[in-house]
Amino acid sequence: MTSHIIYHVANLTPSCPSRAWLSKPHPTLPILATATANALRIYSLTSFNLLSTITGGHKRSIRSCSWKPGTKEQAVIATGSFDASVGIWSQEEDDKEDWRFAIVLDGHESEVKSVTWSAGGNLIATCSRDKSVWIWEEVGEDDFETVAVLQEHDGDVKCVAWHPEEELLASASYDDDIRLWREDVDDWGCVSVLEGHESTVWAVEWEPSQGRKEGADSRLVSCSEDGTIRMWKKQPNQERQQQSRLSIIRSTSGEKWEEESHLPKRHVRTIYSVAWSTETHRIVSVGGDGKIVVYEERSTPDLQNSHTNGVEPVTEQPSVNSATSESTEPPMEISAEESSTANAPNGEKVTWSWQAIAEYDYAHGVFEINHVVWAKVKANGSSQEVIVTTGDDGEVKIWKVS
């Protein structure tokens, strides 16, 4: 049995009066935004209390939000709504609790499912139930231009995510596929289609640069209604390697991606969200079964050392029932379905595999969990990393792994 457990720290208060879709921490400030019905709620990650409620601008529920990176004192956030519009909000300089609705971006024909700023802060990507992905460029203060409308998905597009260092965009869809997009000269186009999931792909997230293996490209993690979490890796620009038996990759511009591995299958219903830690490099997932699962990538030496330290790496911490705080099931042996190998400095082969190291059942009672993200909170003068979950019960909850 592993020594890792997930424990509940706090709920953000007050809770949302209706379903909460998603929560995003600001990249530098100790605040967090939650998208919910007809409002965006800003919470403190110090006191865990509500700071302000942003209303107006949209006519229907806010489905997604994304903070603009690179801003200093004045925070800027983009919102995507069921009314098919995207809003840009700026924090007032004189009163940090007040927000100005700066501009609305129209174009989508149906609800906006996801909105995200690029790492450079000059581009916004949005996706919609209308099967399209839009890219907008900020060309001046409160001034945006549409630079691309990408319509190659065959179904509702659920999520868009920018690469942490490049202008490379990933989109996930109801058509079971993931598409990667780049700009070539003046036109954006699809450079790879990642196929392998057997049902709707709900979310994708890029591997953060912090903690990444030296010299390696960022990988992409995806989660799906098929109950799997898959890891995708770019192939070298050489003669195409033998394709993974798990997937088929089509490429339109020479970029070749392969499915590197599956993470251990621990969810029994749709997986809605995955997040990659910048501090520990762990991955966390949530979904329709109300479960939180934390995974860690370990090398062969790490696994051997964990045995000698008295920690069994291929067994799971028993699930903890939030109401009774008692174990709900005995430990079960688990392991990654696939692993990857690399050469160590001494020339030996090192095998890497993902292990499920901690689980928590019924984290929001009987309600589904719509989103998960890692965040930094300040306590006792120091910064600590926590997990934030957002659920159908309107609760935003803070968790820690020990």
Side-chain angles (χ1 to χ4, degrees), residues 24 64-69 78-80 86 112-119 121-127 133-136 159-163 168-170 206:
K24 287 292 183 72
S64 179
C65 62
S66 177
W67 295 100
K68 181 180 180 179
T79 52
V86 177
V112 176
K113 293 296 185 71
S114 179
V115 56
T116 181
W117 290 89
S118 65
N122 61 316
L123 299 174
I124 295 177
T126 62
C127 65
V133 175
W134 287 53
I135 299 176
W136 318 75
C159 177
V160 282
W162 287 104
H163 189 283
L168 172 63
L169 182 69
W206 292 97

PDB file of all heavy atoms in Angstrom, residues 24 64-69 78-80 86 112-119 121-127 133-136 159-163 168-170 206:
ATOM      1  N   LYS A  24     -10.198  28.301 -12.556  1.00  0.00           N
ATOM      2  CA  LYS A  24      -8.846  28.566 -13.044  1.00  0.00           C
ATOM      3  C   LYS A  24      -8.110  29.505 -12.085  1.00  0.00           C
ATOM      4  O   LYS A  24      -8.553  30.635 -11.860  1.00  0.00           O
ATOM      5  CB  LYS A  24      -8.897  29.198 -14.437  1.00  0.00           C
ATOM      6  CG  LYS A  24      -9.285  28.246 -15.561  1.00  0.00           C
ATOM      7  CD  LYS A  24      -8.209  27.195 -15.806  1.00  0.00           C
ATOM      8  CE  LYS A  24      -8.545  26.283 -16.966  1.00  0.00           C
ATOM      9  NZ  LYS A  24      -8.431  26.967 -18.266  1.00  0.00           N
ATOM     10  N   SER A  64     -16.587  28.621 -19.570  1.00  0.00           N
ATOM     11  CA  SER A  64     -15.135  28.501 -19.481  1.00  0.00           C
ATOM     12  C   SER A  64     -14.509  29.865 -19.219  1.00  0.00           C
ATOM     13  O   SER A  64     -15.122  30.901 -19.479  1.00  0.00           O
ATOM     14  CB  SER A  64     -14.584  27.912 -20.787  1.00  0.00           C
ATOM     15  OG  SER A  64     -13.182  27.790 -20.756  1.00  0.00           O
ATOM     16  N   CYS A  65     -13.278  29.857 -18.716  1.00  0.00           N
ATOM     17  CA  CYS A  65     -12.559  31.113 -18.498  1.00  0.00           C
ATOM     18  C   CYS A  65     -11.061  30.848 -18.580  1.00  0.00           C
ATOM     19  O   CYS A  65     -10.600  29.712 -18.398  1.00  0.00           O
ATOM     20  CB  CYS A  65     -12.928  31.760 -17.168  1.00  0.00           C
ATOM     21  SG  CYS A  65     -12.536  30.773 -15.713  1.00  0.00           S
ATOM     22  N   SER A  66     -10.298  31.903 -18.838  1.00  0.00           N
ATOM     23  CA  SER A  66      -8.845  31.777 -18.928  1.00  0.00           C
ATOM     24  C   SER A  66      -8.199  33.117 -18.622  1.00  0.00           C
ATOM     25  O   SER A  66      -8.586  34.147 -19.182  1.00  0.00           O
ATOM     26  CB  SER A  66      -8.452  31.315 -20.342  1.00  0.00           C
ATOM     27  OG  SER A  66      -7.046  31.248 -20.492  1.00  0.00           O
ATOM     28  N   TRP A  67      -7.205  33.109 -17.720  1.00  0.00           N
ATOM     29  CA  TRP A  67      -6.491  34.321 -17.356  1.00  0.00           C
ATOM     30  C   TRP A  67      -5.441  34.659 -18.419  1.00  0.00           C
ATOM     31  O   TRP A  67      -4.753  33.765 -18.917  1.00  0.00           O
ATOM     32  CB  TRP A  67      -5.779  34.152 -16.019  1.00  0.00           C
ATOM     33  CG  TRP A  67      -6.674  33.955 -14.846  1.00  0.00           C
ATOM     34  CD1 TRP A  67      -6.993  32.769 -14.239  1.00  0.00           C
ATOM     35  CD2 TRP A  67      -7.373  34.978 -14.120  1.00  0.00           C
ATOM     36  NE1 TRP A  67      -7.834  32.984 -13.184  1.00  0.00           N
ATOM     37  CE2 TRP A  67      -8.089  34.328 -13.079  1.00  0.00           C
ATOM     38  CE3 TRP A  67      -7.460  36.370 -14.243  1.00  0.00           C
ATOM     39  CZ2 TRP A  67      -8.879  35.027 -12.177  1.00  0.00           C
ATOM     40  CZ3 TRP A  67      -8.244  37.067 -13.336  1.00  0.00           C
ATOM     41  CH2 TRP A  67      -8.937  36.403 -12.316  1.00  0.00           C
ATOM     42  N   LYS A  68      -5.293  35.927 -18.718  1.00  0.00           N
ATOM     43  CA  LYS A  68      -4.240  36.358 -19.631  1.00  0.00           C
ATOM     44  C   LYS A  68      -2.902  36.317 -18.904  1.00  0.00           C
ATOM     45  O   LYS A  68      -2.755  36.900 -17.831  1.00  0.00           O
ATOM     46  CB  LYS A  68      -4.521  37.774 -20.134  1.00  0.00           C
ATOM     47  CG  LYS A  68      -3.484  38.280 -21.117  1.00  0.00           C
ATOM     48  CD  LYS A  68      -3.795  39.685 -21.606  1.00  0.00           C
ATOM     49  CE  LYS A  68      -2.742  40.173 -22.606  1.00  0.00           C
ATOM     50  NZ  LYS A  68      -3.033  41.530 -23.102  1.00  0.00           N
ATOM     51  N   PRO A  69      -1.896  35.631 -19.476  1.00  0.00           N
ATOM     52  CA  PRO A  69      -0.588  35.590 -18.818  1.00  0.00           C
ATOM     53  C   PRO A  69       0.195  36.881 -19.056  1.00  0.00           C
ATOM     54  O   PRO A  69      -0.085  37.636 -19.992  1.00  0.00           O
ATOM     55  CB  PRO A  69       0.107  34.409 -19.526  1.00  0.00           C
ATOM     56  CG  PRO A  69      -0.510  34.385 -20.890  1.00  0.00           C
ATOM     57  CD  PRO A  69      -1.941  34.825 -20.709  1.00  0.00           C
ATOM     58  N   ALA A  78     -10.551  36.078 -19.920  1.00  0.00           N
ATOM     59  CA  ALA A  78     -11.480  35.817 -21.020  1.00  0.00           C
ATOM     60  C   ALA A  78     -12.515  34.798 -20.571  1.00  0.00           C
ATOM     61  O   ALA A  78     -12.202  33.867 -19.821  1.00  0.00           O
ATOM     62  CB  ALA A  78     -10.727  35.293 -22.243  1.00  0.00           C
ATOM     63  N   THR A  79     -13.758  34.971 -21.024  1.00  0.00           N
ATOM     64  CA  THR A  79     -14.845  34.063 -20.660  1.00  0.00           C
ATOM     65  C   THR A  79     -15.543  33.554 -21.914  1.00  0.00           C
ATOM     66  O   THR A  79     -15.723  34.293 -22.880  1.00  0.00           O
ATOM     67  CB  THR A  79     -15.879  34.755 -19.758  1.00  0.00           C
ATOM     68  OG1 THR A  79     -16.302  35.984 -20.385  1.00  0.00           O
ATOM     69  CG2 THR A  79     -15.292  35.069 -18.392  1.00  0.00           C
ATOM     70  N   GLY A  80     -15.932  32.293 -21.894  1.00  0.00           N
ATOM     71  CA  GLY A  80     -16.711  31.699 -22.967  1.00  0.00           C
ATOM     72  C   GLY A  80     -18.072  31.300 -22.448  1.00  0.00           C
ATOM     73  O   GLY A  80     -18.190  30.715 -21.370  1.00  0.00           O
ATOM     74  N   VAL A  86     -17.639  35.361 -26.586  1.00  0.00           N
ATOM     75  CA  VAL A  86     -16.448  35.381 -25.733  1.00  0.00           C
ATOM     76  C   VAL A  86     -16.303  36.792 -25.186  1.00  0.00           C
ATOM     77  O   VAL A  86     -16.423  37.768 -25.938  1.00  0.00           O
ATOM     78  CB  VAL A  86     -15.187  34.987 -26.532  1.00  0.00           C
ATOM     79  CG1 VAL A  86     -13.934  35.088 -25.668  1.00  0.00           C
ATOM     80  CG2 VAL A  86     -15.340  33.591 -27.118  1.00  0.00           C
ATOM     81  N   VAL A 112     -19.947  28.322 -26.538  1.00  0.00           N
ATOM     82  CA  VAL A 112     -18.490  28.239 -26.470  1.00  0.00           C
ATOM     83  C   VAL A 112     -18.128  27.305 -25.319  1.00  0.00           C
ATOM     84  O   VAL A 112     -18.491  27.553 -24.170  1.00  0.00           O
ATOM     85  CB  VAL A 112     -17.862  29.628 -26.271  1.00  0.00           C
ATOM     86  CG1 VAL A 112     -16.349  29.519 -26.111  1.00  0.00           C
ATOM     87  CG2 VAL A 112     -18.211  30.537 -27.443  1.00  0.00           C
ATOM     88  N   LYS A 113     -17.407  26.230 -25.645  1.00  0.00           N
ATOM     89  CA  LYS A 113     -17.080  25.215 -24.638  1.00  0.00           C
ATOM     90  C   LYS A 113     -15.757  25.481 -23.926  1.00  0.00           C
ATOM     91  O   LYS A 113     -15.567  25.065 -22.789  1.00  0.00           O
ATOM     92  CB  LYS A 113     -17.024  23.830 -25.313  1.00  0.00           C
ATOM     93  CG  LYS A 113     -18.358  23.327 -25.819  1.00  0.00           C
ATOM     94  CD  LYS A 113     -19.325  23.101 -24.666  1.00  0.00           C
ATOM     95  CE  LYS A 113     -20.637  22.475 -25.111  1.00  0.00           C
ATOM     96  NZ  LYS A 113     -20.507  21.081 -25.515  1.00  0.00           N
ATOM     97  N   SER A 114     -14.820  26.133 -24.604  1.00  0.00           N
ATOM     98  CA  SER A 114     -13.498  26.336 -24.012  1.00  0.00           C
ATOM     99  C   SER A 114     -12.860  27.591 -24.584  1.00  0.00           C
ATOM    100  O   SER A 114     -13.047  27.922 -25.759  1.00  0.00           O
ATOM    101  CB  SER A 114     -12.614  25.111 -24.293  1.00  0.00           C
ATOM    102  OG  SER A 114     -11.310  25.265 -23.772  1.00  0.00           O
ATOM    103  N   VAL A 115     -12.109  28.293 -23.734  1.00  0.00           N
ATOM    104  CA  VAL A 115     -11.371  29.475 -24.154  1.00  0.00           C
ATOM    105  C   VAL A 115     -10.024  29.434 -23.460  1.00  0.00           C
ATOM    106  O   VAL A 115      -9.921  29.049 -22.293  1.00  0.00           O
ATOM    107  CB  VAL A 115     -12.142  30.773 -23.808  1.00  0.00           C
ATOM    108  CG1 VAL A 115     -12.466  30.850 -22.329  1.00  0.00           C
ATOM    109  CG2 VAL A 115     -11.345  31.997 -24.231  1.00  0.00           C
ATOM    110  N   THR A 116      -8.955  29.806 -24.185  1.00  0.00           N
ATOM    111  CA  THR A 116      -7.623  29.767 -23.577  1.00  0.00           C
ATOM    112  C   THR A 116      -6.694  30.764 -24.253  1.00  0.00           C
ATOM    113  O   THR A 116      -6.723  30.944 -25.468  1.00  0.00           O
ATOM    114  CB  THR A 116      -7.024  28.346 -23.665  1.00  0.00           C
ATOM    115  OG1 THR A 116      -5.739  28.323 -23.050  1.00  0.00           O
ATOM    116  CG2 THR A 116      -6.898  27.873 -25.102  1.00  0.00           C
ATOM    117  N   TRP A 117      -5.871  31.437 -23.439  1.00  0.00           N
ATOM    118  CA  TRP A 117      -4.836  32.352 -23.938  1.00  0.00           C
ATOM    119  C   TRP A 117      -3.583  31.564 -24.268  1.00  0.00           C
ATOM    120  O   TRP A 117      -3.238  30.600 -23.584  1.00  0.00           O
ATOM    121  CB  TRP A 117      -4.468  33.388 -22.880  1.00  0.00           C
ATOM    122  CG  TRP A 117      -5.509  34.408 -22.575  1.00  0.00           C
ATOM    123  CD1 TRP A 117      -6.501  34.309 -21.651  1.00  0.00           C
ATOM    124  CD2 TRP A 117      -5.650  35.717 -23.161  1.00  0.00           C
ATOM    125  NE1 TRP A 117      -7.251  35.457 -21.626  1.00  0.00           N
ATOM    126  CE2 TRP A 117      -6.748  36.337 -22.539  1.00  0.00           C
ATOM    127  CE3 TRP A 117      -4.939  36.411 -24.136  1.00  0.00           C
ATOM    128  CZ2 TRP A 117      -7.166  37.623 -22.864  1.00  0.00           C
ATOM    129  CZ3 TRP A 117      -5.356  37.695 -24.464  1.00  0.00           C
ATOM    130  CH2 TRP A 117      -6.449  38.294 -23.842  1.00  0.00           C
ATOM    131  N   SER A 118      -2.857  32.004 -25.279  1.00  0.00           N
ATOM    132  CA  SER A 118      -1.549  31.417 -25.587  1.00  0.00           C
ATOM    133  C   SER A 118      -0.544  31.855 -24.534  1.00  0.00           C
ATOM    134  O   SER A 118      -0.769  32.817 -23.788  1.00  0.00           O
ATOM    135  CB  SER A 118      -1.091  31.856 -26.967  1.00  0.00           C
ATOM    136  OG  SER A 118      -0.857  33.263 -26.997  1.00  0.00           O
ATOM    137  N   ALA A 119       0.586  31.143 -24.479  1.00  0.00           N
ATOM    138  CA  ALA A 119       1.604  31.449 -23.471  1.00  0.00           C
ATOM    139  C   ALA A 119       2.131  32.875 -23.618  1.00  0.00           C
ATOM    140  O   ALA A 119       2.481  33.523 -22.627  1.00  0.00           O
ATOM    141  CB  ALA A 119       2.751  30.446 -23.574  1.00  0.00           C
ATOM    142  N   GLY A 121       0.373  35.415 -24.581  1.00  0.00           N
ATOM    143  CA  GLY A 121      -0.673  36.363 -24.234  1.00  0.00           C
ATOM    144  C   GLY A 121      -1.207  37.184 -25.391  1.00  0.00           C
ATOM    145  O   GLY A 121      -2.014  38.093 -25.179  1.00  0.00           O
ATOM    146  N   ASN A 122      -0.807  36.860 -26.619  1.00  0.00           N
ATOM    147  CA  ASN A 122      -1.270  37.634 -27.773  1.00  0.00           C
ATOM    148  C   ASN A 122      -2.372  36.939 -28.562  1.00  0.00           C
ATOM    149  O   ASN A 122      -3.015  37.553 -29.414  1.00  0.00           O
ATOM    150  CB  ASN A 122      -0.099  37.924 -28.716  1.00  0.00           C
ATOM    151  CG  ASN A 122       0.540  36.659 -29.254  1.00  0.00           C
ATOM    152  OD1 ASN A 122       0.774  35.712 -28.502  1.00  0.00           O
ATOM    153  ND2 ASN A 122       0.835  36.632 -30.538  1.00  0.00           N
ATOM    154  N   LEU A 123      -2.616  35.661 -28.289  1.00  0.00           N
ATOM    155  CA  LEU A 123      -3.621  34.892 -29.016  1.00  0.00           C
ATOM    156  C   LEU A 123      -4.626  34.278 -28.053  1.00  0.00           C
ATOM    157  O   LEU A 123      -4.281  33.885 -26.934  1.00  0.00           O
ATOM    158  CB  LEU A 123      -2.970  33.770 -29.835  1.00  0.00           C
ATOM    159  CG  LEU A 123      -1.977  34.163 -30.931  1.00  0.00           C
ATOM    160  CD1 LEU A 123      -1.330  32.926 -31.511  1.00  0.00           C
ATOM    161  CD2 LEU A 123      -2.675  34.971 -32.020  1.00  0.00           C
ATOM    162  N   ILE A 124      -5.877  34.207 -28.500  1.00  0.00           N
ATOM    163  CA  ILE A 124      -6.919  33.482 -27.781  1.00  0.00           C
ATOM    164  C   ILE A 124      -7.464  32.414 -28.712  1.00  0.00           C
ATOM    165  O   ILE A 124      -7.728  32.670 -29.890  1.00  0.00           O
ATOM    166  CB  ILE A 124      -8.070  34.412 -27.346  1.00  0.00           C
ATOM    167  CG1 ILE A 124      -7.589  35.436 -26.323  1.00  0.00           C
ATOM    168  CG2 ILE A 124      -9.230  33.609 -26.765  1.00  0.00           C
ATOM    169  CD1 ILE A 124      -8.665  36.427 -25.904  1.00  0.00           C
ATOM    170  N   ALA A 125      -7.634  31.207 -28.190  1.00  0.00           N
ATOM    171  CA  ALA A 125      -8.294  30.141 -28.941  1.00  0.00           C
ATOM    172  C   ALA A 125      -9.617  29.819 -28.262  1.00  0.00           C
ATOM    173  O   ALA A 125      -9.711  29.804 -27.029  1.00  0.00           O
ATOM    174  CB  ALA A 125      -7.426  28.893 -29.005  1.00  0.00           C
ATOM    175  N   THR A 126     -10.643  29.584 -29.075  1.00  0.00           N
ATOM    176  CA  THR A 126     -11.959  29.210 -28.564  1.00  0.00           C
ATOM    177  C   THR A 126     -12.494  28.041 -29.377  1.00  0.00           C
ATOM    178  O   THR A 126     -12.092  27.830 -30.525  1.00  0.00           O
ATOM    179  CB  THR A 126     -12.952  30.391 -28.654  1.00  0.00           C
ATOM    180  OG1 THR A 126     -13.112  30.764 -30.034  1.00  0.00           O
ATOM    181  CG2 THR A 126     -12.473  31.588 -27.862  1.00  0.00           C
ATOM    182  N   CYS A 127     -13.386  27.273 -28.773  1.00  0.00           N
ATOM    183  CA  CYS A 127     -14.024  26.182 -29.505  1.00  0.00           C
ATOM    184  C   CYS A 127     -15.481  26.093 -29.088  1.00  0.00           C
ATOM    185  O   CYS A 127     -15.883  26.603 -28.041  1.00  0.00           O
ATOM    186  CB  CYS A 127     -13.309  24.858 -29.276  1.00  0.00           C
ATOM    187  SG  CYS A 127     -13.376  24.251 -27.578  1.00  0.00           S
ATOM    188  N   VAL A 133     -13.065  25.734 -34.338  1.00  0.00           N
ATOM    189  CA  VAL A 133     -12.053  26.330 -33.465  1.00  0.00           C
ATOM    190  C   VAL A 133     -11.697  27.685 -34.058  1.00  0.00           C
ATOM    191  O   VAL A 133     -11.404  27.784 -35.255  1.00  0.00           O
ATOM    192  CB  VAL A 133     -10.788  25.439 -33.390  1.00  0.00           C
ATOM    193  CG1 VAL A 133      -9.699  26.124 -32.583  1.00  0.00           C
ATOM    194  CG2 VAL A 133     -11.120  24.068 -32.797  1.00  0.00           C
ATOM    195  N   TRP A 134     -11.752  28.727 -33.238  1.00  0.00           N
ATOM    196  CA  TRP A 134     -11.402  30.079 -33.683  1.00  0.00           C
ATOM    197  C   TRP A 134     -10.127  30.529 -32.971  1.00  0.00           C
ATOM    198  O   TRP A 134      -9.911  30.222 -31.793  1.00  0.00           O
ATOM    199  CB  TRP A 134     -12.518  31.081 -33.364  1.00  0.00           C
ATOM    200  CG  TRP A 134     -13.743  30.945 -34.235  1.00  0.00           C
ATOM    201  CD1 TRP A 134     -14.465  29.811 -34.463  1.00  0.00           C
ATOM    202  CD2 TRP A 134     -14.384  31.989 -34.975  1.00  0.00           C
ATOM    203  NE1 TRP A 134     -15.524  30.081 -35.299  1.00  0.00           N
ATOM    204  CE2 TRP A 134     -15.493  31.408 -35.636  1.00  0.00           C
ATOM    205  CE3 TRP A 134     -14.131  33.353 -35.148  1.00  0.00           C
ATOM    206  CZ2 TRP A 134     -16.350  32.145 -36.443  1.00  0.00           C
ATOM    207  CZ3 TRP A 134     -14.990  34.089 -35.954  1.00  0.00           C
ATOM    208  CH2 TRP A 134     -16.084  33.491 -36.607  1.00  0.00           C
ATOM    209  N   ILE A 135      -9.298  31.275 -33.695  1.00  0.00           N
ATOM    210  CA  ILE A 135      -8.112  31.890 -33.112  1.00  0.00           C
ATOM    211  C   ILE A 135      -8.206  33.397 -33.326  1.00  0.00           C
ATOM    212  O   ILE A 135      -8.462  33.862 -34.444  1.00  0.00           O
ATOM    213  CB  ILE A 135      -6.823  31.330 -33.734  1.00  0.00           C
ATOM    214  CG1 ILE A 135      -6.728  29.821 -33.480  1.00  0.00           C
ATOM    215  CG2 ILE A 135      -5.593  32.038 -33.150  1.00  0.00           C
ATOM    216  CD1 ILE A 135      -5.542  29.150 -34.140  1.00  0.00           C
ATOM    217  N   TRP A 136      -8.016  34.135 -32.232  1.00  0.00           N
ATOM    218  CA  TRP A 136      -8.119  35.596 -32.245  1.00  0.00           C
ATOM    219  C   TRP A 136      -6.782  36.178 -31.825  1.00  0.00           C
ATOM    220  O   TRP A 136      -6.124  35.670 -30.928  1.00  0.00           O
ATOM    221  CB  TRP A 136      -9.191  36.075 -31.249  1.00  0.00           C
ATOM    222  CG  TRP A 136     -10.458  35.276 -31.227  1.00  0.00           C
ATOM    223  CD1 TRP A 136     -10.636  34.033 -30.678  1.00  0.00           C
ATOM    224  CD2 TRP A 136     -11.732  35.659 -31.749  1.00  0.00           C
ATOM    225  NE1 TRP A 136     -11.934  33.635 -30.822  1.00  0.00           N
ATOM    226  CE2 TRP A 136     -12.636  34.608 -31.481  1.00  0.00           C
ATOM    227  CE3 TRP A 136     -12.201  36.806 -32.407  1.00  0.00           C
ATOM    228  CZ2 TRP A 136     -13.973  34.649 -31.858  1.00  0.00           C
ATOM    229  CZ3 TRP A 136     -13.536  36.852 -32.784  1.00  0.00           C
ATOM    230  CH2 TRP A 136     -14.403  35.785 -32.505  1.00  0.00           C
ATOM    231  N   CYS A 159     -12.623  21.103 -26.060  1.00  0.00           N
ATOM    232  CA  CYS A 159     -11.518  21.731 -25.333  1.00  0.00           C
ATOM    233  C   CYS A 159     -10.433  22.193 -26.301  1.00  0.00           C
ATOM    234  O   CYS A 159     -10.188  21.537 -27.323  1.00  0.00           O
ATOM    235  CB  CYS A 159     -10.932  20.717 -24.341  1.00  0.00           C
ATOM    236  SG  CYS A 159      -9.497  21.295 -23.404  1.00  0.00           S
ATOM    237  N   VAL A 160      -9.804  23.311 -25.982  1.00  0.00           N
ATOM    238  CA  VAL A 160      -8.608  23.759 -26.688  1.00  0.00           C
ATOM    239  C   VAL A 160      -7.519  24.054 -25.657  1.00  0.00           C
ATOM    240  O   VAL A 160      -7.811  24.502 -24.545  1.00  0.00           O
ATOM    241  CB  VAL A 160      -8.868  25.004 -27.563  1.00  0.00           C
ATOM    242  CG1 VAL A 160      -9.572  24.622 -28.843  1.00  0.00           C
ATOM    243  CG2 VAL A 160      -9.663  26.076 -26.810  1.00  0.00           C
ATOM    244  N   ALA A 161      -6.252  23.792 -26.037  1.00  0.00           N
ATOM    245  CA  ALA A 161      -5.132  24.008 -25.111  1.00  0.00           C
ATOM    246  C   ALA A 161      -3.893  24.403 -25.906  1.00  0.00           C
ATOM    247  O   ALA A 161      -3.526  23.721 -26.867  1.00  0.00           O
ATOM    248  CB  ALA A 161      -4.860  22.744 -24.305  1.00  0.00           C
ATOM    249  N   TRP A 162      -3.245  25.486 -25.485  1.00  0.00           N
ATOM    250  CA  TRP A 162      -2.013  25.943 -26.128  1.00  0.00           C
ATOM    251  C   TRP A 162      -0.802  25.253 -25.521  1.00  0.00           C
ATOM    252  O   TRP A 162      -0.733  25.031 -24.303  1.00  0.00           O
ATOM    253  CB  TRP A 162      -1.840  27.449 -25.943  1.00  0.00           C
ATOM    254  CG  TRP A 162      -2.742  28.311 -26.759  1.00  0.00           C
ATOM    255  CD1 TRP A 162      -3.842  28.993 -26.326  1.00  0.00           C
ATOM    256  CD2 TRP A 162      -2.619  28.633 -28.158  1.00  0.00           C
ATOM    257  NE1 TRP A 162      -4.414  29.699 -27.354  1.00  0.00           N
ATOM    258  CE2 TRP A 162      -3.678  29.498 -28.492  1.00  0.00           C
ATOM    259  CE3 TRP A 162      -1.704  28.263 -29.149  1.00  0.00           C
ATOM    260  CZ2 TRP A 162      -3.854  30.000 -29.770  1.00  0.00           C
ATOM    261  CZ3 TRP A 162      -1.889  28.769 -30.431  1.00  0.00           C
ATOM    262  CH2 TRP A 162      -2.936  29.625 -30.732  1.00  0.00           C
ATOM    263  N   HIS A 163       0.179  24.963 -26.370  1.00  0.00           N
ATOM    264  CA  HIS A 163       1.477  24.467 -25.933  1.00  0.00           C
ATOM    265  C   HIS A 163       2.110  25.513 -25.013  1.00  0.00           C
ATOM    266  O   HIS A 163       1.951  26.719 -25.231  1.00  0.00           O
ATOM    267  CB  HIS A 163       2.354  24.224 -27.162  1.00  0.00           C
ATOM    268  CG  HIS A 163       3.640  23.522 -26.887  1.00  0.00           C
ATOM    269  ND1 HIS A 163       4.732  24.158 -26.326  1.00  0.00           N
ATOM    270  CD2 HIS A 163       4.025  22.234 -27.117  1.00  0.00           C
ATOM    271  CE1 HIS A 163       5.730  23.301 -26.218  1.00  0.00           C
ATOM    272  NE2 HIS A 163       5.332  22.125 -26.694  1.00  0.00           N
ATOM    273  N   LEU A 168       1.397  26.294 -30.792  1.00  0.00           N
ATOM    274  CA  LEU A 168       0.864  25.000 -31.216  1.00  0.00           C
ATOM    275  C   LEU A 168      -0.388  24.746 -30.395  1.00  0.00           C
ATOM    276  O   LEU A 168      -0.348  24.781 -29.167  1.00  0.00           O
ATOM    277  CB  LEU A 168       1.897  23.901 -30.999  1.00  0.00           C
ATOM    278  CG  LEU A 168       1.447  22.455 -31.208  1.00  0.00           C
ATOM    279  CD1 LEU A 168       1.031  22.217 -32.660  1.00  0.00           C
ATOM    280  CD2 LEU A 168       2.576  21.484 -30.814  1.00  0.00           C
ATOM    281  N   LEU A 169      -1.498  24.517 -31.056  1.00  0.00           N
ATOM    282  CA  LEU A 169      -2.790  24.393 -30.396  1.00  0.00           C
ATOM    283  C   LEU A 169      -3.330  22.983 -30.535  1.00  0.00           C
ATOM    284  O   LEU A 169      -3.277  22.389 -31.614  1.00  0.00           O
ATOM    285  CB  LEU A 169      -3.787  25.380 -31.010  1.00  0.00           C
ATOM    286  CG  LEU A 169      -5.193  25.418 -30.407  1.00  0.00           C
ATOM    287  CD1 LEU A 169      -5.153  26.014 -28.996  1.00  0.00           C
ATOM    288  CD2 LEU A 169      -6.140  26.223 -31.300  1.00  0.00           C
ATOM    289  N   ALA A 170      -3.855  22.435 -29.438  1.00  0.00           N
ATOM    290  CA  ALA A 170      -4.520  21.134 -29.451  1.00  0.00           C
ATOM    291  C   ALA A 170      -6.010  21.336 -29.231  1.00  0.00           C
ATOM    292  O   ALA A 170      -6.426  22.171 -28.426  1.00  0.00           O
ATOM    293  CB  ALA A 170      -3.956  20.228 -28.364  1.00  0.00           C
ATOM    294  N   TRP A 206      -1.199  20.056 -22.011  1.00  0.00           N
ATOM    295  CA  TRP A 206       0.210  19.890 -22.355  1.00  0.00           C
ATOM    296  C   TRP A 206       1.059  19.692 -21.111  1.00  0.00           C
ATOM    297  O   TRP A 206       0.774  20.245 -20.049  1.00  0.00           O
ATOM    298  CB  TRP A 206       0.717  21.115 -23.109  1.00  0.00           C
ATOM    299  CG  TRP A 206       0.131  21.275 -24.467  1.00  0.00           C
ATOM    300  CD1 TRP A 206      -0.927  22.060 -24.825  1.00  0.00           C
ATOM    301  CD2 TRP A 206       0.562  20.620 -25.669  1.00  0.00           C
ATOM    302  NE1 TRP A 206      -1.179  21.942 -26.165  1.00  0.00           N
ATOM    303  CE2 TRP A 206      -0.284  21.063 -26.714  1.00  0.00           C
ATOM    304  CE3 TRP A 206       1.576  19.711 -25.967  1.00  0.00           C
ATOM    305  CZ2 TRP A 206      -0.134  20.624 -28.031  1.00  0.00           C
ATOM    306  CZ3 TRP A 206       1.727  19.272 -27.272  1.00  0.00           C
ATOM    307  CH2 TRP A 206       0.877  19.733 -28.288  1.00  0.00           C
TER     308      TRP A 206
END
